[in-house]
C-alpha cells in the first residue's frame, strides 16, 4: 500500500514538474513571438518622421507627418478583423496554429516594408503599397495578443498567472525598446550619409527574427485547457456569435480596459518619439536612445509588477496605475525638452510607472474575463477593438490638437483623462460565478 502511495506521489510529482517545464516553454514561445510582433509593429512609429518625406512629400512638414500617422493608425482599424480571424483559429483549431500564423504574416509584411521603393521612384504606388503592408501588419497584431495571452494563461500555475502572463507585455515592451534603439542607431549611422537606409534597416531586421520565432513556436504543445475542451467535445462552433450572445458585458469591459491600456502604450511609448522630435525638437538620434532607456526599464519592471499582481490582484494594481496616470503625466512631460538629455530620460522613466502597472494588471485581466471556449476570440477581438481608438486614433489626434491649439501639453491631458476612464471601468468588475472557467466578469 505504501509503495502504491509512493509511486502515485512520484508520478504526480513528475507530471507536475513536466507541466511547469512546458508552461515555461510556452511562456518563452508566446513572449518571443509577441516581441517580434511589437518590434515590427512599432518600427513604423519610431521612423514615422523619416517615412513622411519618403512616401508623403509635401511643402508642409506637419501635413506629411499627419499623412504618415494616418497610415500608422490605419493598421489599428483592421486589428479587430485580425482578432476575429486568428481568434477563431485559436478557439476552433488550437492556440498553436494561430500563433504560428500571426508570426508569419507580421514577419513577411514588415520585411516587405523595408524593401519598398519610395515616392520619388514609383510615385503614388509607393504610399499605396505602404498602406497595404501596414494593414497586413494590423491583421497580424490583431490576433497575436489574444492568442498569446490565452495560451500562457492556460499553461501557467493558477497562483503565478500574472507573473507568467506579464512576460508577454514585458517582452513586447522590449520589442518596442529594440525598435526604438534600432531606429536611433540607424539614424545615427545613416541619416546623413544614406538617409534611405535610416528607415529601412529596422524593418529588414524582421526577417531573421521571424525565422527564430518560428523555430521556437514549432516546438510547443497546445494548452492543456484547450486539449481538454477538445477531448470533451466542448469546442465552440461559432465563438464570435457565442461571445456576443453569452458574454457581452464582459466583452465591453475588456474593450474598455484595452482602450485605456493602448492609449497609455501608444501615447506614452510610441507617439512620444514623434512628439520629442517634431514638437520638442530633440534630435532623432537622441530620441531613439531616450525612448530605449525608458522602455527598457519598463520591460524589467513589468514582471516585477506581475508578481505584485499575483499578490494583490488585477483590480488593485490597475486602480493604482490609473491614479498614477492622473498624478504624474503633467509634471513629467513639463520637464521634458532638448535642454537636458538626463532630465528628459528621468521624466520618461517616471511615466513608465503607471504604464508598467497597467500592463501587468491588464494582461491578466483580459483572459480572466472570458471562459476557455471563447477566450482567444474574445481577447483578440476585444483588445484589438479597444486598440482602434487607443492606439490608432490618439497619436493622430494629439498631433492635430497640438498644431491647432499650440499647447504642447495635449498628450498629458489625454493620459490623465485615460486614468479617469480606467478607474471607472475597474470599479465595475465583479468576481465570476462559481464553476465558470474565468475569474472576473
Amino acid at each position: 500500500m505504501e509503495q502504491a502511495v509512493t509511486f502515485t506521489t512520484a508520478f504526480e510529482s513528475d507530471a507536475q514538474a513536466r507541466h511547469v517545464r512546458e508552461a515555461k516553454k510556452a511562456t518563452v514561445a508566446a513572449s518571443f513571438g509577441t516581441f517580434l510582433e511589437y518590434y515590427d509593429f512599432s518600427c513604423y512609429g519610431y521612423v514615422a518622421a523619416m517615412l513622411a518625406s519618403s512616401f508623403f512629400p509635401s511643402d508642409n512638414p506637419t501635413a506629411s507627418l499627419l499623412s504618415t500617422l494616418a497610415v500608422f493608425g490605419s493598421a489599428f482599424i483592421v486589428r479587430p478583423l485580425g482578432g476575429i480571424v486568428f481568434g477563431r483559429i485559436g478557439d476552433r483549431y488550437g492556440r498553436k496554429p494561430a500563433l504560428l500564423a500571426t508570426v508569419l504574416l507580421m514577419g513577411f509584411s514588415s520585411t516587405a516594408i523595408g524593401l519598398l521603393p519610395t515616392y520619388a521612384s514609383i510615385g503614388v504606388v509607393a504610399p499605396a503599397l505602404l498602406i497595404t503592408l501596414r494593414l497586413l501588419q494590423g491583421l497580424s497584431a490583431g490576433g497575436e495578443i489574444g492568442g498569446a495571452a490565452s495560451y500562457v494563461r492556460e499553461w501557467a500555475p493558477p497562483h503565478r498567472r500574472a507573473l507568467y502572463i506579464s512576460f508577454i507585455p514585458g517582452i513586447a515592451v522590449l520589442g518596442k525598446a529594440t525598435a526604438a534603439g534600432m531606429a536611433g542607431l540607424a539614424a545615427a549611422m545613416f541619416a546623413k550619409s544614406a538617409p534611405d537606409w535610416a528607415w529601412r534597416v529596422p524593418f529588414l531586421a524582421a526577417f531573421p527574427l521571424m525565422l527564430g520565432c518560428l523555430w521556437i513556436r514549432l516546438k510547443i504543445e497546445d494548452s492543456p485547457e484547450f486539449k481538454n475542451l477538445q477531448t470533451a467535445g466542448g469546442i465552440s462552433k461559432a465563438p464570435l456569435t457565442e461571445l456576443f450572445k453569452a458574454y457581452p458585458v464582459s466583452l465591453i469591459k475588456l474593450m474598455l480596459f484595452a482602450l485605456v491600456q493602448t492609449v497609455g502604450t501608444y501615447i506614452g511609448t510610441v507617439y512620444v518619439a514623434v512628439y520629442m522630435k517634431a514638437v520638442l525638437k530633440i534630435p532623432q538620434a537622441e530620441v531613439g536612445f531616450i525612448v530605449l532607456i525608458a522602455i527598457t526599464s519598463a520591460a524589467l519592471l513589468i514582471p516585477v509588477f506581475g508578481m505584485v499582481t499575483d499578490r494583490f490582484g488585477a483590480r488593485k494594481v490597475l486602480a493604482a496605475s490609473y491614479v498614477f496616470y492622473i498624478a504624474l503625466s503633467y509634471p513629467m512631460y513639463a520637464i521634458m525638452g532638448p535642454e537636458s538629455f538626463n532630465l528628459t530620460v528621468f521624466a520618461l522613466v517616471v511615466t513608465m510607472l503607471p504604464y508598467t502597472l497597467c500592463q501587468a494588471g491588464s494582461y491578466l485581466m483580459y483572459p480572466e474575463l472570458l471562459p476557455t471556449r471563447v477566450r482567444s476570440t474574445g481577447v483578440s477581438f476585444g483588445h484589438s477593438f479597444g486598440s482602434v481608438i487607443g492606439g490608432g486614433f490618439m497619436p493622430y489626434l494629439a498631433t492635430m490638437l497640438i498644431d491647432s491649439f499650440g499647447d504642447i501639453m495635449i498628450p498629458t491631458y489625454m493620459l490623465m483623462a485615460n486614468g479617469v476612464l480606467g478607474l471607472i471601468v475597474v470599479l465595475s468588475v465583479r468576481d465570476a460565478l462559481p464553476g465558470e472557467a474565468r475569474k472576473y466578469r
Side-chain angles (χ1 to χ4, degrees):
M1 183 70 176
E2 290 182 3
Q3 288 181 335
V5 172
T6 302
F7 177 78
T8 302
T9 303
F11 179 79
E12 290 175 350
S13 178
D14 288 344
Q16 188 175 36
R18 180 182 178 280
H19 184 92
V20 170
R21 287 195 302 271
E22 290 298 323
K24 290 178 179 178
K25 190 190 336 182
T27 303
V28 170
S31 300
F32 184 56
T34 306
F35 169 91
L36 171 65
E37 291 278 332
Y38 276 81
Y39 169 84
D40 290 350
F41 198 74
S42 299
C43 276
Y44 188 100
Y46 292 129
V47 300
M50 291 183 278
L51 285 172
S53 58
S54 296
F55 289 90
F56 301 97
S58 170
D59 294 333
N60 185 336
T62 300
S64 295
L65 181 58
L66 283 172
S67 297
T68 308
L69 289 176
V71 177
F72 176 82
S74 69
F76 289 89
I77 295 173
V78 298
R79 280 179 72 157
L81 178 59
I84 293 171
V85 172
F86 293 109
R88 179 180 172 81
I89 293 173
D91 282 329
R92 293 280 292 140
Y93 306 105
R95 313 312 193 201
K96 180 178 176 178
L99 292 174
L100 289 171
T102 57
V103 163
L104 279 169
L105 183 58
M106 180 63 82
F108 280 117
S109 57
S110 298
T111 304
I113 289 177
L115 297 172
L116 278 180
T118 63
Y119 186 95
S121 300
I122 59 173
V124 295
V125 177
L129 289 173
L130 179 65
I131 292 169
T132 301
L133 292 170
R134 185 63 183 165
L135 292 176
L136 291 177
Q137 283 189 318
L139 283 173
S140 174
E144 173 65 23
I145 287 301
S150 299
Y151 183 66
V152 174
R153 185 265 178 208
E154 291 165 6
W155 266 114
H159 64 292
R160 287 289 182 267
R161 279 178 182 159
L163 173 61
Y164 278 60
I165 294 175
S166 70
F167 283 101
I168 294 175
I171 298 299
V173 170
L174 196 58
K176 293 174 191 172
T178 305
M182 185 68 78
L185 181 62
M189 292 176 63
F190 300 111
K192 293 182 180 179
S193 59
D196 197 42
W197 281 99
W199 63 265
R200 291 185 188 277
V201 170
F203 288 111
L204 293 175
F207 190 73
L209 288 173
M210 178 192 70
L211 295 179
C213 183
L214 277 176
W215 182 76
I216 293 174
R217 285 193 170 181
L218 283 168
K219 294 177 176 292
I220 60 176
E221 298 180 21
D222 225 316
S223 76
E225 283 191 28
F226 179 81
K227 288 192 288 187
N228 291 340
L229 194 68
Q230 196 173 41
T231 301
I235 299 297
S236 176
K237 294 182 179 180
L240 186 65
T241 302
E242 183 176 340
L243 178 68
F244 279 101
K245 285 184 177 180
Y247 308 101
V249 175
S250 294
L251 178 60
I252 290 171
K253 291 177 184 178
L254 198 159
M255 290 175 177
L256 290 172
F257 278 123
L259 168 62
V260 174
Q261 182 243 316
T262 52
V263 168
T265 296
Y266 286 96
I267 291 293
T269 68
V270 177
Y271 171 74
V272 71
V274 177
Y275 174 78
M276 286 181 177
K277 184 179 187 302
V279 178
L280 300 183
K281 307 301 180 184
I282 300 174
Q284 176 70 44
E286 286 189 19
V287 169
F289 290 112
I290 290 170
V291 176
L292 173 63
I293 293 168
I295 60 181
T296 299
S297 69
L300 298 175
L301 281 174
I302 290 173
V304 174
F305 288 133
M307 291 187 284
V308 172
T309 306
D310 277 323
R311 173 69 178 83
F312 295 101
R315 284 179 289 194
K316 290 182 180 179
V317 168
L318 285 173
S321 163
Y322 303 145
V323 169
F324 282 129
Y325 265 126
I326 296 169
L328 295 176
S329 296
Y330 190 95
M332 290 303 104
Y333 272 69
I335 63 175
M336 293 181 186
E339 299 83 9
S340 174
F341 177 88
N342 292 335
L343 200 58
T344 302
V345 169
F346 168 77
L348 194 58
V349 168
V350 171
T351 65
M352 293 300 105
L353 177 59
Y355 169 74
T356 50
L357 284 166
C358 186
Q359 295 291 306
S362 295
Y363 276 78
L364 178 62
M365 180 66 74
Y366 296 148
E368 292 290 14
L369 278 167
L370 296 167
T372 312
R373 284 170 57 87
V374 297
R375 182 173 290 133
S376 185
T377 300
V379 178
S380 295
F381 177 76
H383 182 271
S384 298
F385 194 88
S387 299
V388 171
I389 300 175
F393 183 57
M394 292 302 171
Y396 184 93
L397 179 63
T399 301
M400 185 177 68
L401 291 176
I402 290 172
D403 186 60
S404 298
F405 295 100
D407 187 349
I408 66 171
M409 300 305 287
I410 289 290
T412 70
Y413 309 146
M414 298 168 72
L415 290 172
M416 292 166 71
N418 194 48
V420 173
L421 175 60
L423 285 175
I424 294 170
V425 179
V426 79
L427 290 173
S428 72
V429 173
R430 300 290 180 264
D431 291 331
L433 300 174
E436 292 187 310
R438 57 178 178 165
K439 187 173 182 179
Y440 301 117
R441 60 186 172 92

